[in-house]
Amino acid sequence: MIGATSMDAAAPVLRRGLLGLAALTVAGLCVELAVEHHWTQPSQIIAWVALAIVVLAIVLVLGTPSPGRVRFARILAIAVILSALYGCWEHIESNYDAGVLDMIYGDRWESLPQSTRWWLAISKTVGPSPPIAPGTLAQAGLCVLLATLRHPALLKEPGA
Amino acid sequence: MTAPNTHVTRSRRYLFPTVALLAGAMLLAGCTVSSTPSGTTPSAPATSSAGSGSVSGGTASSATVAQASPVTAQASPASAAQVSQPAAVAQSSPVAAAASPAAATRKVDANTASVAELQAAFEANGITQAARWAREVEEYRPYPTNDQTFGKLRQNLAKYNPAPDVLEKIVASLSLS
């Protein structure tokens, strides 16, 4: 049975681990986006902005932050998660739009049922964009968000 | 000390399944990203082989186009002027195509032509979805001027899984200067 004391001792380690995982995810995504030249369209810049926001959120939670910093980091993390969901939608939509260019489905794209077209886009059967890849950004945001749960800075507040 | 710990335990009891589900979904997303390069890889060898000139069907037609295009450029020195008049090009090209397919190939500069000029050239050369392809060609600029086989363009357009003849027509419609 794990005592409350050992749990309390483990919390900072887990918190730092989550922040480290978020930082690692950001580093990996930077490389991935750079290799993919993920800046050829204006909407692709959103991913870079979101990465910068994750870094900012990590920095805010590091050390002994004030309650305000932790709350702001939470807001940033949630914003990043939302931007990741938007990224997933953008990727799926761009695949859908690229359906007409596909060698196999292009000629009959307009005659396919909507559900089939969307499935082909979601499954990346047509189009160039990996639909769930932006989810990695959400993972980084979620790590930061989890690192703020029951954060000592918030527990010290009156009424916490 | 006891009361806060009980509170924490209850909170975790309710929070943990949700967090675990979210974390699982995110991990799956991470796996998808790591598989992304392999997902795009199948198209890459075909592209690179076509670009490097190794043996393939696409390469053969690419070489044909590459041989034909200088002739086209010599036979039609006014191609630059035709590019500046897209409507005229589009109207005149079907007739030219019927007379001589090689001479009918309209070329525009891959790095400097506007989307409208690209689209007009593609339409003149019988490429379907000309407007979409014009935007894609513009998106992946700049193209190295020493890459006359358009390896970079081929690599990027291959992600859209185009028909080989469409890809060859697009490349044949472009020049580098």
Side-chain angles (χ1 to χ4, degrees):
Chain A
M1 180 120 182
I2 301 170
T5 309
S6 61
M7 287 288 284
D8 289 345
V13 178
L14 290 173
R15 188 166 286 116
R16 280 197 296 272
L18 283 166
L19 293 176
L21 186 58
L24 194 64
T25 306
V26 168
L29 269 174
C30 277
V31 174
E32 173 78 10
L33 293 178
V35 168
E36 290 290 325
H37 293 190
H38 202 270
W39 52 69
T40 54
Q41 291 177 355
S43 62
Q44 293 180 336
I45 305 299
I46 293 173
W48 292 98
V49 174
L51 281 177
I53 291 174
V54 174
V55 172
L56 177 61
I58 292 170
V59 171
L60 285 172
V61 182
L62 280 175
T64 51
S66 64
R69 273 173 59 175
V70 174
R71 284 204 193 87
F72 188 47
R74 277 184 176 177
I75 293 169
L76 293 181
I78 290 168
V80 168
I81 292 169
L82 292 176
S83 76
L85 294 175
Y86 175 73
C88 288
W89 164 250
E90 275 287 305
H91 279 204
I92 292 168
E93 195 183 34
S94 76
N95 284 348
Y96 184 94
D97 289 342
V100 289
L101 305 180
D102 189 84
M103 174 173 55
I104 299 167
Y105 297 99
D107 290 341
R108 55 197 174 101
W109 184 253
E110 297 300 332
S111 62
L112 290 172
Q114 278 283 348
S115 57
T116 306
R117 282 192 259 175
W118 281 112
W119 173 246
L120 291 171
I122 290 168
S123 61
K124 198 175 167 282
T125 310
V126 297
S129 307
I132 315 176
T136 316
L137 203 52
Q139 175 188 301
L142 190 62
C143 284
V144 175
L145 195 61
L146 289 172
T148 65
L149 286 181
R150 307 294 300 172
H151 197 283
L154 297 177
L155 296 176
K156 283 174 192 170
E157 278 193 312
Chain B
M1 289 295 285
T2 311
N5 282 338
T6 309
H7 176 67
V8 170
T9 308
R10 281 182 184 168
S11 299
R12 283 180 181 162
R13 193 179 301 156
Y14 293 119
L15 191 63
F16 194 80
T18 311
V19 169
L21 277 173
L22 281 170
M26 291 311 108
L27 281 173
L28 277 176
C31 291
T32 308
V33 160
S34 63
S35 68
T36 299
S38 61
T40 54
T41 304
S43 59
T47 306
S48 58
S49 66
S52 62
S54 58
V55 179
S56 75
T59 312
S61 54
S62 172
T64 308
V65 169
Q67 289 169 357
S69 54
V71 176
T72 309
Q74 289 171 1
S76 178
S79 60
Q82 287 169 339
V83 167
S84 64
Q85 297 171 345
V89 169
Q91 288 172 358
S92 64
S93 61
V95 178
S100 169
T105 305
R106 301 276 180 256
K107 282 184 178 286
V108 288
D109 193 289
N111 282 324
T112 59
S114 68
V115 172
E117 289 169 341
L118 287 166
Q119 182 181 346
F122 292 167
E123 284 172 351
N125 293 330
I127 299 168
T128 55
Q129 300 295 335
R132 261 316 291 273
W133 286 122
R135 289 206 304 273
E136 300 304 336
V137 169
E138 190 210 23
E139 181 181 343
Y140 297 110
R141 283 173 178 170
Y143 303 104
T145 51
N146 61 352
D147 179 19
Q148 294 297 325
T149 58
F150 284 95
K152 180 185 175 184
L153 177 68
R154 289 172 184 276
Q155 190 174 5
N156 283 304
L157 295 191
K159 292 187 284 190
Y160 296 85
N161 192 29
D165 63 316
V166 171
L167 187 57
E168 294 309 324
K169 281 181 182 175
I170 290 170
V171 171
S173 305
L174 300 171
S175 62
L176 289 169
S177 58

